Amino acid sequence: QSRDLCAPSVAERSIGAHSSMCSGFSVKQVQVYPNDDVSSCTDAIQSQIAKRSTAHSPVKQSWNAYNTICRSILYKQQYEDSFRMLQKEPIFPYLNAMQGTSDGPEESASQNNRKAYLKMTRTEVAQDLAKRATKAVPELVNICRELSKVVGSTQIGVGDIKGAFEAELKADIKYEGNILRVTDFCRAFIVLEDIPALLATIELVCISLGPSVRRIKLSTLKSGNESLPGGYRDCKINIDVSGHICEIQLHLSCMWDICDIEGYKCYSDWLEYPLVGCD
């Protein structure tokens, strides 16, 4: 027989972990039952739900949403703990005092406004920008490879090209419909070991790329400033690559290692389930 999803042993674990995270306990203390593998428990429950008829699909959806929310709270606390430790490093005050480029709340880089765009619909402009982003990828990857060699990073990557529909949606949400302000059609990342490596990379970008640098956004890495939704903090650099504005994300390993490549999903989950009052 299928186990009751509301059985006390499962509910007590979930509620216990949730309340511990919301009450300010460190992540390592959220171990209500050390001998119980929570992920295995979760998998077992999901398996039981999957065996049920489609008439019970709302139960599965509710469980998935609850599981996502608990995971998001956990990761946010881990990010905040990591940033607190980062602020204790002797070199952090130097980073905290640095000024970015076009880093204000109302500022951003912008794609080049070509004459041809005057006769095109917004969707056509978005499609053209996506094509230009595809062509810019090889050069952007080469730039990241060269930077990583100099600073000793062993982790670089490139994201999927942002499609026209996704870009238009972002323009509507963040930029009042201005598609030219979407500058992450083409994006890559470098994972850096520590603050000195981050500072060295920024200096190297400014020296080697010069006028191609359109924006350096450091604000989320400064104390007193808001993090990204979900607690993540990084540095973003926009550069002109063959006439197209691309994005390089500089990640500190202490933040990156918490979720690795799944960090963007955590960010997206937080946007879908904005949790107020769980700090």
Side-chain angles (χ1 to χ4, degrees), residues 241-254:
V241 179
S242 301
H244 182 82
I245 307 302
C246 303
E247 179 179 278
I248 299 176
Q249 301 167 358
L250 302 182
H251 302 287
L252 288 168
S253 60
C254 62

Side-chain angles (χ1 to χ4, degrees), residues 143-199:
I143 290 172
C144 289
R145 281 176 177 164
E146 292 303 315
L147 291 172
S148 65
K149 286 179 184 177
V150 175
V151 298
S153 171
T154 58
Q155 283 185 279
I156 66 170
V158 60
D160 295 332
I161 299 298
K162 190 181 292 294
F165 175 79
E166 186 181 4
E168 288 189 87
L169 184 62
K170 181 173 184 176
D172 287 336
I173 294 173
K174 294 190 66 175
Y175 304 126
E176 299 180 343
N178 187 349
I179 195 67
L180 295 179
R181 293 184 65 185
V182 178
T183 55
D184 61 349
F185 282 89
C186 176
R187 53 201 184 276
F189 68 84
I190 304 173
V191 181
L192 302 163
E193 185 64 28
D194 49 27
I195 294 177
L198 173 67
L199 297 176

Side-chain angles (χ1 to χ4, degrees), residues 43-72:
D43 292 341
I45 295 173
Q46 298 244 28
S47 177
Q48 292 293 335
I49 294 174
K51 293 178 182 178
R52 300 193 175 199
S53 65
T54 55
H56 291 81
S57 59
V59 176
K60 181 178 180 180
Q61 293 172 359
S62 297
W63 169 256
N64 287 341
Y66 174 75
N67 191 41
T68 296
I69 290 170
C70 288
R71 184 174 60 247
S72 297

Side-chain angles (χ1 to χ4, degrees), residues 259-270:
C259 284
D260 201 77
I261 200 69
E262 294 298 319
Y264 182 76
K265 185 180 186 306
C266 178
Y267 168 80
S268 300
D269 289 340
W270 199 271

